[in-house]
Amino acid sequence: MKKILLTLAIFLIAATLAHAHKVSIFAWVEQDTIYTISKFSGGKYVKHGKVSVFDEHENQLLEGTTDDKGEFSFKVPEKTTLKIVLDASAGHGSSWTIPLSEILGENGETPQQALEKAEINPAAQAMETPEASSVSQDQIQQAVEAALDKKLRPVLKMLAEQKEKKPGLVDIFGGIGYILGLAGIGAYFHYRGKIRDLDKS
Amino acid sequence: MHISEGILSAPVLASGMVIAGAGVAVGLKNLDFDKIPRAAVLSAGFFVASLVHVPIGPSSVHLVLNGIIGLILGWAAVPAIAVALVLQAMLFQFGGVTALGVNTVIMAAPAVLCYYFFGFMVRKKPLIALPAAFACGFLSVFFAGVLVGLALYFTEENFLETAAAVVGVHVFVMIIEGIFTVLCVGFLLKVQPELLPGRN
């Protein structure tokens, strides 16, 4: 009895500690800085995990470690597709790729540059030909997109965080059910052979 | 203890698959009918145990239970662990499908080893049986850590350093695992000693 209680106690102690296993890294661009956030499944932040940044040819550009909140940010080192790799030690790892278009914005500019240009130019071009006003419409569109990007980023971040779901009860009982089902299949084949033997005799 | 997808190189993944496949085949051959319910229950236990996590440093660890599973099932531990790992990969996205073979080897090989090392000792006097059970639980996780180091080494990293890091992170688990195995063996010795291998 004592032993059973002790076993239970160990399980309870273990169960109150956080759940974490799969790791994920999420990165987003804000103007010329890239922010990353790294988590274990279940929401624990990866503390002091190593983050390496590679360009499209797998050359390492820089590396750093995550802080207590699993965050790590750096200036865009090079205008190229960036692959950000998290190594949380002991074979736990994950990566996130930022495509070139996200770093450059739509026209090969950072969103901030696009915004500034769009803000200045319409006034200067307001008196010009209709052709010019169509250009400024493009720029207004860019400005709106840049502003939207900026506003949407926190939302994107939240979505990415929520996408990370930890195993639910359904998964757990489903898995146990599968295992019992396999045992059932084993029993079926065993008894099928036995019944056949009985039929013969 | 699961190695994530996309970390190991293809040859390591492939050889993991081959070794795991062979192990599962031997295990299934060894799995006679009366062992099936036992294997299923232990497989379910293994499946659930990995959900209880303890964060240590930048990593996280959990009870592996491969020692006690190996002790009770012998070679049949390989299919039991493989089934649980498949379900973990599918339902929890732990490890991932391509790393299944390697992960099976990492966790099942120490189970089988421990069965051969300690299987004949656990039905002896408590003075021998209980320390053997502790060593079984402890070493099953230790060997698993060494295998993780080995798998990473063949991919690129420094073996000693990685193995030491993995083992270091798991020292706490090894101790808990050892204690847990002692409790299990002590309990089984009283209630149902036939479950354990070896003779008095």
Side-chain angles (χ1 to χ4, degrees), chain A residues 1 3, chain B residues 184-193 196:
Chain A
M1 193 59 200
K3 276 179 184 163
Chain B
C184 285
V185 168
F187 183 71
L188 287 177
L189 276 177
K190 268 189 215 152
V191 182
Q192 198 139 20
L196 296 169

Side-chain angles (χ1 to χ4, degrees), chain B residues 24-199:
Chain B
V24 168
V26 175
L28 282 179
K29 236 179 161 191
N30 225 282
L31 185 69
D32 43 2
F33 178 70
D34 3 321
K35 261 190 184 168
I36 287 180
R38 245 182 269 169
V41 167
L42 287 169
S43 180
F46 180 90
F47 171 72
V48 174
S50 68
L51 288 176
V52 183
H53 289 283
V54 188
I56 292 177
S59 195
S60 77
V61 293
H62 56 79
L63 274 185
V64 188
L65 298 186
N66 54 350
I68 186 73
I69 294 177
L71 209 53
I72 295 177
L73 292 180
W75 274 98
V78 186
I81 288 174
V83 164
L85 282 174
V86 169
L87 289 167
Q88 284 176 351
M90 288 195 314
L91 296 171
F92 308 155
Q93 286 86 46
F94 285 174
V97 179
T98 55
L100 261 179
V102 175
N103 282 330
T104 305
V105 174
I106 285 171
M107 280 172 268
V112 176
L113 269 183
C114 283
Y115 170 76
Y116 281 114
F117 283 174
F118 303 108
F120 66 95
M121 285 196 257
V122 287
R123 296 270 299 262
K124 304 247 192 286
K125 289 179 295 217
L127 208 62
I128 302 172
L130 296 183
F134 183 85
C136 173
F138 189 92
L139 287 178
S140 62
V141 181
F142 177 80
F143 288 144
V146 172
L147 283 173
V148 170
L150 210 60
L152 291 171
Y153 165 69
F154 281 124
T155 300
E156 57 182 321
E157 293 174 58
N158 184 332
F159 168 65
L160 264 182
E161 209 175 281
T162 327
V166 176
V167 169
V169 163
H170 285 84
V171 165
F172 182 64
V173 186
M174 288 177 207
I175 296 168
I176 300 252
E177 190 90 33
I179 296 171
F180 186 79
T181 311
V182 169
L183 293 177
C184 285
V185 168
F187 183 71
L188 287 177
L189 276 177
K190 268 189 215 152
V191 182
Q192 198 139 20
E194 315 83 72
L195 276 183
L196 296 169
R199 287 203 188 100

